[in-house]
């Protein structure tokens, strides 16, 4: 029996939700629409994926594996866990993140299903639909994807390649208004491979303090810095600005598929008294991360041998140095030397490449002719650059450089192409 005054569907047309329509990943959209047909005569070299496990050349120590095996065999962690994570595991993260004058406890930590979930929770707890968050450009596209799916607006502040990707503080400040909910700071950086100095981080904190805007610190690459640089967490430097710091096992421990991240709450003046229970409520939507991995977390954080981290950094830094030394000699390309993380950004002087329109066209043709796949920086809101990943096998570094050099030699012209407009690429001149 039909209900009076109820509009009946005449056929099966089930609409997708507004949130699904608002969810958009620029990287997937760009990559999925690129014309990627590799040269059949050359083995594909993928420099595009920020996953250190792809080539199986950076094995994790047996200690980490054994921690997981022990918890599985113990059969004590097969059930539901608290939505914010086991207290013992949260306490381990607190100790891992504590410095002498910044004591943290389990109540300051929330465990999540990877760092991307941590970022999502932080954005959702701080911003309402119609408000805005301010994120780096170039920057990881997930910030925009997560925010806009919830109806939160996104503004982009500039990073300066000529200053090793430091924040353009004047530009950042010009974007802050009465609807700004938070500023996202990513250090060390994806895609830039930059590591901010202590003084620069203090300048960022001064700006946030002036405008009373909290910070979300994406610090998934914490401690992943090359020689001559030093990592400082924002929370360790802040005396006034409240900070939600996001990190996890993904990068430093080389286990992205394990999906174990965390939020560290650096509260100042009890500014997050409403945010703390808000985060707890949001975690109850998904009921916590993987029980086995988080149960093993205390032993992973305290028992992983230091030489594992040192060896990994040495390997990636050597790749970075070799890439930089080779590519900096190629006409038409200008790499920005990385200071940490797993990436290097390379500028393209497109005015000297007739027949190549932009960074997307450059990377498409590079795949077609040389079977080398780099990620166009349009994915990071920064055209006329491309990003390469530094975790590949050493044998492939030289091969990739040879092919990139051959490609540029085939397409480069000493004479600038008249009438060609370059936006951010002018930094390459």
């Amino acid at each position: 029996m039909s209900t009076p005054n109820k509009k009946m569907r005449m056929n099966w047309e089930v609409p997708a939700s507004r949130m699904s329509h608002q969810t958009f990943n620029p990287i997937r959209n760009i990559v999925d629409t690129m014309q990627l047909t590799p040269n059949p005569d050359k083995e594909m070299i993928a420099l595009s994926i920020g996953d250190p496990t792809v080539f199986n050349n950076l094995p994790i120590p047996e200690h980490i594996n054994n921690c997981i095996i022990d918890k599985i065999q113990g059969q004590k962690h097969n059930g539901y866990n608290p939505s914010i994570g086991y207290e013992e595991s949260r306490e381990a993260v607190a100790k891992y993140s504590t410095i002498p004058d910044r004591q943290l406890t389990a109540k300051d930590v929330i465990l999540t299903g990877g760092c991307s979930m941590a970022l999502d929770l932080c954005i959702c707890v701080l911003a309402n639909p119609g408000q805005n968050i301010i994120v780096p450009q170039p920057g990881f596209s997930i910030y925009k994807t997560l925010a806009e799916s919830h109806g939160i607006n996104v503004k982009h502040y500039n990073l300066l390649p000529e200053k090793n990707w430091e924040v353009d503080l004047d530009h950042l400040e010009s974007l802050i208004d009465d609807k700004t909910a938070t500023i996202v700071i990513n250090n060390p950086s994806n895609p830039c491979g930059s590591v901010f100095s202590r003084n620069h981080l203090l300048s960022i904190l001064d700006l946030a303090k002036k405008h009373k805007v909290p910070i979300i610190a994406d610090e998934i690459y914490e401690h992943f810095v090359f020689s001559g640089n030093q990592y400082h967490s924002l929370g360790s430097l802040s005396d006034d600005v409240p900070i939600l710091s996001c990190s996890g096992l993904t990068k430093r421990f080389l286990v992205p598929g394990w999906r174990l991240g965390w939020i560290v709450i650096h509260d100042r003046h009890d500014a997050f008294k409403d945010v703390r229970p808000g985060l707890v409520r949001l975690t109850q939507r998904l009921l916590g991360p993987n029980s086995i991995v988080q149960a093993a977390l205390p032993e992973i954080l305290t028992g992983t041998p230091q030489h594992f981290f040192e060896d990994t950094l040495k390997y990636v830094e050597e790749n970075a140095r070799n890439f930089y030394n080779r590519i900096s000699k190629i006409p038409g390309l200008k790499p920005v030397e990385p200071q940490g993380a797993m990436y290097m950004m390379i500028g393209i002087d497109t005015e000297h490449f007739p027949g190549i329109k932009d960074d997307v066209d450059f990377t498409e043709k590079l795949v077609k002719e040389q079977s080398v796949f780099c990620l166009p920086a349009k994915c990071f809101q920064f055209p006329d650059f491309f990003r390469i990943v530094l975790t590949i096998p050493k044998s492939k570094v030289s091969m990739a450089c040879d092919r990139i050099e051959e490609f540029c030699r085939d397409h480069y012209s000493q004479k600038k192409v008249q009438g060609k407009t370059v936006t951010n690429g002018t930094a390459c001149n």
Side-chain angles (χ1 to χ4, degrees):
M1 181 176 178
S2 62
T3 303
N5 302 321
K6 182 176 180 180
K7 186 176 180 181
M8 302 295 292
R9 286 180 177 169
M10 303 305 295
N11 50 43
W12 281 106
E13 291 184 7
V14 182
S17 70
R18 181 179 301 152
M19 181 179 178
S20 72
H21 282 291
Q22 292 172 171
T23 301
F24 175 79
N25 188 319
I27 293 181
R28 292 271 36 103
N29 181 68
I30 292 169
V31 172
D32 290 347
T33 57
M34 290 175 69
Q35 302 298 313
L36 299 175
T37 305
N39 185 333
D41 297 327
K42 295 188 177 184
E43 174 194 359
M44 185 69 152
I45 302 176
L47 304 179
S48 56
I49 305 172
D51 182 345
T53 71
V54 168
F55 295 98
N56 201 31
N57 59 317
L58 294 170
I60 63 175
E62 280 302 304
H63 167 77
I64 296 179
N65 289 329
N66 290 336
C67 289
I68 298 294
I69 293 169
D70 289 345
K71 297 306 177 185
I72 292 173
Q73 293 179 337
Q75 298 193 46
K76 294 181 179 179
H77 299 92
N78 294 330
Y80 289 118
N81 47 266
S83 64
I84 59 174
Y86 296 125
E87 183 170 2
E88 181 184 7
S89 304
R90 291 186 288 115
E91 185 64 36
V93 173
K95 291 179 180 178
Y96 176 77
S97 303
T98 287
I99 62 172
D101 60 342
R102 292 286 191 276
Q103 295 296 317
L104 298 165
T105 66
K107 71 180 179 63
D108 299 311
V109 176
I110 289 176
L111 300 185
T112 62
C115 189
S116 56
M117 179 181 172
L119 290 165
D120 189 41
L121 292 177
C122 291
I123 290 170
C124 288
V125 81
L126 294 178
N128 290 307
Q131 288 187 288
N132 66 73
I133 67 171
I134 309 180
V135 306
Q137 179 176 283
F140 190 33
S141 65
I142 196 71
Y143 313 133
K144 181 180 176 71
T145 299
L146 295 172
E148 291 185 345
S149 70
H150 297 292
I152 299 163
N153 299 319
V154 176
K155 297 182 177 182
H156 296 88
Y157 63 84
N158 291 332
L159 303 180
L160 303 171
E162 67 274 15
K163 293 186 176 181
N164 289 110
W165 304 108
E166 285 190 348
V167 175
D168 183 336
L169 295 171
D170 291 336
H171 184 233
L172 171 57
E173 186 167 21
S174 73
L175 299 175
I176 299 173
D177 59 26
D178 59 357
K179 292 187 177 181
T180 299
T182 186
I183 300 167
V184 177
I185 302 295
N186 177 208
N187 177 60
S189 167
N190 174 16
C192 300
S194 57
V195 178
F196 293 155
S197 69
R198 184 178 188 275
N199 286 339
H200 188 58
L201 290 170
L202 289 172
S203 296
I204 293 169
L205 288 170
D206 285 344
L207 191 154
K209 177 180 179 179
K210 176 181 176 181
H211 294 276
K212 299 297 184 288
V213 179
I215 288 176
I216 297 174
D218 180 356
E219 298 178 328
I220 189 63
Y221 293 96
E222 60 181 343
H223 308 295
F224 210 108
V225 300
F226 300 154
S227 54
N229 299 279
Q230 188 174 357
Y231 167 72
H232 301 276
S233 70
L234 268 174
S236 71
L237 300 177
S238 176
D239 293 318
D240 191 79
V241 179
I243 295 165
L244 298 178
S245 174
C246 302
S247 189
L249 291 180
T250 299
K251 304 300 183 178
R252 192 182 188 209
F253 292 83
L254 307 181
V255 286
W258 290 10
R259 310 312 302 141
L260 199 289
W262 53 75
I263 301 167
V264 177
I265 303 169
H266 298 277
D267 203 355
R268 301 292 180 262
H269 314 297
D270 208 21
F272 281 151
K273 63 183 178 182
D274 194 37
V275 167
R276 288 178 181 271
L279 282 169
V280 173
R281 289 191 294 271
L282 287 174
T283 65
Q284 292 167 355
R285 296 172 68 230
L286 296 176
L287 301 180
N290 183 285
S291 61
I292 297 294
V293 179
Q294 66 169 297
L297 189 59
E299 288 84 2
I300 291 173
L301 292 180
T302 58
T304 300
Q306 183 62 28
H307 71 78
F308 163 68
F309 303 122
E310 294 171 354
D311 291 347
T312 301
L313 274 172
K314 182 180 178 181
Y315 188 102
V316 177
E317 182 174 359
E318 185 176 333
N319 277 357
R321 184 168 55 251
N322 289 337
F323 265 123
Y324 180 79
N325 289 340
R326 285 290 306 276
I327 292 175
S328 61
K329 297 174 183 177
I330 299 174
L333 300 183
K334 187 179 177 71
V336 181
E337 188 168 11
Q339 301 164 309
M342 300 177 176
Y343 312 100
M344 181 166 68
M345 287 278 276
I346 301 168
I348 312 166
D349 190 350
T350 59
E351 290 183 320
H352 284 286
F353 289 97
I356 291 179
K357 295 180 293 185
D358 54 23
D359 55 303
V360 176
D361 193 31
F362 183 98
T363 51
E364 282 181 339
K365 287 183 168 67
L366 183 59
V367 170
K368 181 179 179 181
E369 297 178 25
Q370 298 291 341
S371 294
V372 175
F373 183 24
C374 307
L375 206 58
K378 184 179 179 182
C379 295
F380 309 108
Q381 312 288 320
F382 209 77
D384 296 321
F385 275 73
F386 62 92
R387 188 197 75 174
I388 63 172
V389 174
L390 304 173
T391 52
I392 70 170
K394 294 186 181 301
S395 61
K396 294 185 182 293
V397 173
S398 179
M399 187 186 305
C401 289
D402 288 342
R403 293 187 191 179
I404 293 171
E405 183 175 9
E406 181 179 345
F407 176 82
C408 289
R409 188 170 63 242
D410 290 343
H411 291 273
Y412 180 80
S413 172
Q414 288 284 354
K415 185 177 180 181
K416 287 191 175 184
V417 182
Q418 296 300 317
K420 197 163 189 177
T421 301
V422 179
T423 53
N424 291 316
T426 53
C428 300
N429 293 335

